[in-house]
Amino acid sequence: MKKFIGIILAISMLLSFPIFASAEDASSGLQKDLVILFTSDIHCGVDQGFGVVGLKGIKNQLEKENYVLLVDNGDSTQGSPIGSLTRGESIITLMNAVGYDIATLGNHEFDYGMDRFFELTEDAEFPFISANFTHNGELVFKPYEIREFDGVKVAFIGVTTPKTLISSDPEHFTDENRNYVYGFCEDDSGEKLYAAVQSAVDSARADGAQYVVAMAHLGIETACSPWMSTELITNTTGIDVLLDGHSHSITGQEKVLNKDGKEVLHSACGTRLEAIGCCRITPDGNISTELYQWNQDVSAPDFFGFENELTPVLLAETEALNKKLTEVVAVSQVDLIVNDPETGERVIRNNETNLGDLVADAYRDQTGADVAIINGGGIRLPIKTGMVTLNDIISCHPFDNYLCMVRANGQQILDALEWCNHSVPGEFGGYLHVSGLTYELHTDIESSCTSDEKGMFTGVSGEYRVQNVMINGEPLDVNKEYTVASQNYMLKSGGDGTNMFINDEVLLDEIKISYQTLLDYIVDTLGGEIGEEYADIWGQGRVTVITGE
């Protein structure tokens, strides 16, 4: 087995390290450097970026001359098949093998349900911490952990975004009467979160902590306000450094002034192990943060061709995944199409099809939305009559997008339908398959949709091609508010130029990955059988094409 010797030096020459240091007045009391390695938002990317093999190699190398702790800031167990198909088990197995010391909770840790969440925390050989995750008002986990080196105590405080209540399935946090029993110290002002963290900081200091490190899954997106990590810093005292997650950012390397006007280091390390964060406390009292980055498409272990003790563990988990992918999870009584079976021409991007209906139904079913829309470009392969495997479902709907729901008005829905049909009869990846509504498409009317230089929808200058829209049997009201389910790609990012929803109120925020939405609908709602209601390959008549001839 090849050893991970000298690789870090080779990588160091390829990378830049943003370093921000804060000098203390007195020595720390440490006999050698304490290095806190941190990851966040791995989202099951265990063989991407540095991968877990590279992470273990860096940890091994640094342990030769330093004290080393490895911590995670959340969202590790969800995001690709190796996580979802083992319901997080493979990721916890790999984290145990790498040797994590502490973890905090991201919003996606709860995606497999509360029972499964607690099973995974029990399987972990490291503690989970959160100063603001509560059940009936009481903390579920310890708010902090203290580690001691040469008599120097360092406290790690966990913080979880209150947006978790809408960015995982809200039902996970309620009782049988749909009353919320779990919470994250959420309020409109942010004060409840600030107070909870301040209480943990004060307790840790009272317990003798010389340094306080906040392990936060908060992020710096404005949509996260008033719970952004930077806002937490400015409204508290006593934190020395905040290691951040949630925003998938590697640009958050900065100093932020706390409530007392003192500098606090703020550092984030991106997603899927594209970077590994490093916080260093030296014997002379300096605190600094830096990043190890890997920006290549191929993972670092594959690029350098190295192995270590994590290599066989990773291989074992991926082999188990491959077996899982071939498991039969459902049966289909019908062929569900992407291409016209007679001509072979792709039709998923300009026609209603039974597969488009099925996928759109999944999004509406899993949210209870009034309407669901899904872009044809996100549906890749057909599902054939017969046994359906996990791989069939993932191959059908493969992208790393997430189920969301927003509140929108009827005019926005009408504009989305008009935009998605602007290319018909030509193909368009943003052609929308729909659930909960029907409409007429008048192809004799030339599209008058307008867009900007980036291809984003800007309006309709003439007569609408889309007419007589009915939502659940009632005429669409352009002034009425409806709930709309789709992917973050369509609703939040303006994917395919469908930007009419991006400023809407988000009711459910990225609660599960796309293929899991389809899988749960087929297995749980349909009972594992795709039946005759989807028999017509051209769908259920949700779109009536009127040519004018």
Side-chain angles (χ1 to χ4, degrees), residues 290-310:
E290 58 187 357
L291 293 180
Y292 300 104
Q293 293 178 250
W294 183 254
N295 300 319
Q296 308 300 314
D297 290 335
V298 63
S299 71
D302 287 344
F303 185 88
F304 287 105
F306 64 75
E307 300 176 350
N308 58 31
E309 60 267 44
L310 251 292

Side-chain angles (χ1 to χ4, degrees), residues 115-176:
D115 290 343
R116 183 57 176 164
F117 164 72
F118 284 116
E119 289 174 356
L120 293 174
T121 61
E122 289 293 325
D123 290 342
E125 296 172 1
F126 47 88
F128 283 85
I129 57 173
S130 179
N132 65 305
F133 175 43
T134 65
H135 179 254
N136 291 327
E138 300 293 328
L139 287 178
V140 177
F141 295 106
K142 292 173 61 176
Y144 60 89
E145 285 279 335
I146 290 181
R147 296 290 187 268
E148 188 170 339
F149 304 87
D150 298 326
V152 177
K153 292 183 177 181
V154 181
F156 295 83
I157 295 175
V159 192
T160 309
T161 176
K163 281 181 69 69
T164 299
L165 289 178
I166 64 166
S167 52
S168 190
D169 189 333
E171 290 192 1
H172 295 333
F173 308 108
T174 61
D175 61 17
E176 62 275 9

Side-chain angles (χ1 to χ4, degrees), residues 299-486:
S299 71
D302 287 344
F303 185 88
F304 287 105
F306 64 75
E307 300 176 350
N308 58 31
E309 60 267 44
L310 251 292
T311 304
V313 184
L314 178 61
L315 288 175
E317 295 304 319
T318 54
E319 286 176 5
L321 169 63
N322 291 334
K323 292 180 181 178
K324 194 80 174 173
L325 287 171
T326 61
E327 287 185 7
V328 173
V329 295
V331 62
S332 181
Q333 304 295 341
V334 299
D335 283 333
L336 298 135
I337 70 164
V338 167
N339 299 327
D340 186 326
E342 293 187 3
T343 66
E345 181 181 359
R346 184 168 59 185
V347 291
I348 198 73
R349 300 186 182 202
N350 56 7
N351 282 275
E352 179 185 356
T353 77
N354 57 351
L355 182 54
D357 286 356
L358 175 76
V359 177
D361 286 347
Y363 280 73
R364 188 160 69 103
D365 173 82
Q366 294 293 294
T367 58
D370 298 318
V371 170
I373 55 176
I374 192 69
N375 58 315
I379 303 172
R380 309 300 288 190
L381 292 178
I383 296 176
K384 297 181 179 180
T385 300
M387 300 301 179
V388 179
T389 66
L390 284 170
N391 191 57
D392 292 330
I393 292 175
I394 294 171
S395 298
C396 168
H397 201 36
F399 296 110
D400 286 349
N401 294 310
Y402 297 88
L403 172 62
C404 295
M405 184 172 72
V406 301
R407 194 188 310 280
N409 62 45
Q411 184 63 54
Q412 293 171 300
I413 295 171
L414 179 61
D415 286 342
L417 296 174
E418 185 72 12
W419 174 248
C420 86
N421 281 288
H422 77 273
S423 293
V424 174
E427 284 192 323
F428 176 44
Y431 177 85
L432 295 178
H433 298 273
V434 300
S435 179
L437 66 80
T438 62
Y439 66 90
E440 295 174 355
L441 173 61
H442 293 255
T443 57
D444 56 321
I445 300 174
E446 186 175 349
S447 173
S448 60
C449 284
T450 58
S451 59
D452 62 19
E453 68 278 2
K454 294 183 173 63
M456 290 290 176
F457 172 82
T458 55
V460 181
S461 61
E463 185 179 5
Y464 279 71
R465 310 178 88 190
V466 171
Q467 301 177 15
N468 296 322
V469 180
M470 305 289 287
I471 293 184
N472 298 316
E474 298 289 334
L476 175 141
D477 182 342
V478 295
N479 297 312
K480 182 178 177 180
E481 289 188 335
Y482 301 91
T483 52
V484 180
S486 186

